[in-house]
Amino acid sequence: MAHRVLSLLLVLLLLSCGKDTIRIKPEKKTLVASVYASALVQPDSLYAVYSSVAGILDKVFVNEGDSVVKGSPLFQIYNKTPELNRENTKINLQDAREAYKGSAAVLEGLREEIHTAKLKLQNDSINFKRQERLWQQEIGSKAEYDIKKLNYELSLNNLNVLQNNYERTKDELRNKVVKAENTYQAAIVSTNEFTITSKINGRVYAIYKNIGEIVTTMEPLASVGSLDDFLIELLVDEVDIVKLKPYQKVIVNLDAYPEEVFEGRVHKIYPKKDERSQTFKVEAVFETAPEVLFPGLAGEANIIVSEKENTLTIPLEYLIDNHTVKTQDGPVNVEIGSKNLTEVEILSGIDEHTDIIKPKQ
């Protein structure tokens, strides 16, 4: 009986030792380290279309999926007030121009007064000069001389006053024309704001309002983006963002194409963290892309942060506490380098001839 128990214990011991002696040798291979990110396909230059004015949506000139060119109309907002203001400012501008050109009574009347004043000055000047010569010859009275002189001076002063008044009135009318033109141009701009146009050559991807609905400046009317160029929006965990830089290679798997792999490059890294998701936004551009893409296609991506050839590696599960491996001669300290989800680079401590043992889980 004791002999059977001893035999059973030996078998169990051997089995136990067999589990502990699963061993491998380090291998030299290309070690690829990457950062995981969720991926979302979006059109390039995608923007939300807003109205700068409030009103009622009167017309929709496009449908979802339509291609548009820069400046083409998308929506018409109804509001009668700006149109009336434009017509009123146009009338005011016409009146101001007529007054400035002189066909109105204001400047024409002033010109006639100046003409009359010039004739009177000419007459008073002749009379004064004649009386002055007579007085120098001691002909006539001093009173007559003084009256002729006073009439001449009054006529000269009156002409100066009229001419100054004419120039001042002309400047005022010219300024009124400028102000009326500015007001009219502002009214045109205000009216044009009720017709919303596309900012880019692209495609209408969504329309959020129907004819007859109230339009405000706070709600988007549509989404417009590039027709053919798409970006990959990547959300990267904050612990990995420091590993990224522009032009790194991106491997993309899209749910819509489960059997295919696509490549891209990091294009832009946004510096602000999303506090809700604790992630950073990164944009990548396709180098190899599907023939058909739609906004919102989702998937996963791996951003290649390092790629080392002929590197001594071991499976990550054989590493203990990030610095030790188990060998037949006992624990050995190692120096590690890059690693990915499954493998780690060994810089020193063991070589490709060392047997390492898988530790117990």
Side-chain angles (χ1 to χ4, degrees), residues 294-346:
F294 291 94
L297 292 183
E300 298 178 330
N302 285 283
I303 306 167
I304 307 302
V305 296
S306 67
E307 194 168 356
K308 295 184 178 181
E309 296 181 355
N310 199 28
T311 300
L312 190 66
T313 64
I314 65 171
L316 197 59
E317 57 189 356
Y318 280 73
L319 184 66
I320 305 170
D321 296 332
N322 275 333
H323 60 77
T324 305
V325 294
K326 188 176 180 182
T327 71
Q328 58 186 0
D329 298 324
V332 175
N333 289 333
V334 294
E335 182 183 359
I336 66 172
S338 301
K339 61 182 177 180
N340 56 28
L341 295 177
T342 59
E343 295 176 306
V344 60
E345 177 186 13
I346 302 298

Side-chain angles (χ1 to χ4, degrees), residues 194-336:
F194 286 80
T195 301
I196 301 170
T197 59
S198 176
K199 305 299 182 186
I200 62 171
N201 297 330
R203 170 172 289 168
V204 179
Y205 286 99
I207 295 176
Y208 306 123
K209 290 284 187 178
N210 296 314
I211 292 176
E213 292 186 337
I214 295 175
V215 174
T216 70
T217 59
M218 303 299 293
E219 297 177 308
L221 295 172
S223 290
V224 175
S226 173
L227 184 62
D228 300 312
D229 297 327
F230 286 81
L231 295 172
I232 314 163
E233 287 188 1
L234 307 172
L235 296 182
V236 178
D237 192 275
E238 63 176 324
V239 300
D240 295 319
I241 193 64
V242 295
K243 304 174 186 176
L244 303 188
K245 57 186 178 181
Y247 308 113
Q248 287 174 327
K249 186 176 180 180
V250 181
I251 306 299
V252 183
N253 298 94
L254 296 176
D255 296 340
Y257 297 92
E259 304 300 325
E260 298 183 62
V261 176
F262 307 99
E263 293 185 5
R265 294 281 174 182
V266 173
H267 171 66
K268 184 176 182 180
I269 301 171
Y270 288 83
K272 188 175 184 341
K273 181 176 72 172
D274 187 326
E275 297 297 337
R276 291 174 299 178
S277 63
Q278 298 295 300
T279 59
F280 286 83
K281 180 181 173 182
V282 175
E283 279 184 2
V285 293
F286 281 106
E287 289 197 332
T288 60
E291 292 185 5
V292 180
L293 282 174
F294 291 94
L297 292 183
E300 298 178 330
N302 285 283
I303 306 167
I304 307 302
V305 296
S306 67
E307 194 168 356
K308 295 184 178 181
E309 296 181 355
N310 199 28
T311 300
L312 190 66
T313 64
I314 65 171
L316 197 59
E317 57 189 356
Y318 280 73
L319 184 66
I320 305 170
D321 296 332
N322 275 333
H323 60 77
T324 305
V325 294
K326 188 176 180 182
T327 71
Q328 58 186 0
D329 298 324
V332 175
N333 289 333
V334 294
E335 182 183 359
I336 66 172

Side-chain angles (χ1 to χ4, degrees), residues 13-26:
L13 182 61
L14 288 173
L15 289 174
S16 177
C17 291
K19 289 181 181 179
D20 288 341
T21 55
I22 298 175
R23 61 187 67 190
I24 63 169
K25 294 182 185 295

Side-chain angles (χ1 to χ4, degrees), residues 91-297:
I91 293 172
N92 292 337
L93 176 60
Q94 291 172 344
D95 291 343
R97 284 174 175 170
E98 288 297 322
Y100 180 64
K101 287 178 180 177
S103 60
V106 178
L107 286 181
E108 186 63 29
L110 288 174
R111 275 195 292 267
E112 291 178 357
E113 289 182 22
I114 290 173
H115 178 69
T116 302
K118 285 180 177 180
L119 294 176
K120 187 176 185 307
L121 175 63
Q122 183 180 8
N123 184 62
D124 289 340
S125 175
I126 292 171
N127 291 334
F128 170 62
K129 292 297 181 184
R130 183 186 301 117
Q131 190 65 39
E132 187 178 36
R133 285 194 300 271
L134 291 174
W135 178 248
Q136 289 173 351
Q137 299 172 15
E138 297 182 353
I139 300 174
S141 65
K142 180 72 166 55
E144 284 183 296
Y145 171 79
D146 290 340
I147 290 173
K148 296 292 191 295
K149 181 180 180 182
L150 179 61
N151 289 339
Y152 168 72
E153 291 175 346
L154 289 174
S155 295
L156 180 62
N157 182 66
N158 182 56
L159 178 61
N160 290 333
V161 169
L162 289 173
Q163 287 177 330
N164 290 335
N165 186 34
Y166 176 83
E167 293 300 326
R168 183 176 64 255
T169 303
K170 186 177 180 181
D171 289 341
E172 290 175 353
L173 292 174
R174 182 170 56 245
N175 291 336
K176 286 182 179 180
V177 171
V178 173
K179 291 180 180 178
E181 286 178 344
N182 292 339
T183 304
Y184 178 59
Q185 293 300 323
I188 291 176
V189 172
S190 177
T191 305
N192 290 341
E193 288 178 347
F194 286 80
T195 301
I196 301 170
T197 59
S198 176
K199 305 299 182 186
I200 62 171
N201 297 330
R203 170 172 289 168
V204 179
Y205 286 99
I207 295 176
Y208 306 123
K209 290 284 187 178
N210 296 314
I211 292 176
E213 292 186 337
I214 295 175
V215 174
T216 70
T217 59
M218 303 299 293
E219 297 177 308
L221 295 172
S223 290
V224 175
S226 173
L227 184 62
D228 300 312
D229 297 327
F230 286 81
L231 295 172
I232 314 163
E233 287 188 1
L234 307 172
L235 296 182
V236 178
D237 192 275
E238 63 176 324
V239 300
D240 295 319
I241 193 64
V242 295
K243 304 174 186 176
L244 303 188
K245 57 186 178 181
Y247 308 113
Q248 287 174 327
K249 186 176 180 180
V250 181
I251 306 299
V252 183
N253 298 94
L254 296 176
D255 296 340
Y257 297 92
E259 304 300 325
E260 298 183 62
V261 176
F262 307 99
E263 293 185 5
R265 294 281 174 182
V266 173
H267 171 66
K268 184 176 182 180
I269 301 171
Y270 288 83
K272 188 175 184 341
K273 181 176 72 172
D274 187 326
E275 297 297 337
R276 291 174 299 178
S277 63
Q278 298 295 300
T279 59
F280 286 83
K281 180 181 173 182
V282 175
E283 279 184 2
V285 293
F286 281 106
E287 289 197 332
T288 60
E291 292 185 5
V292 180
L293 282 174
F294 291 94
L297 292 183

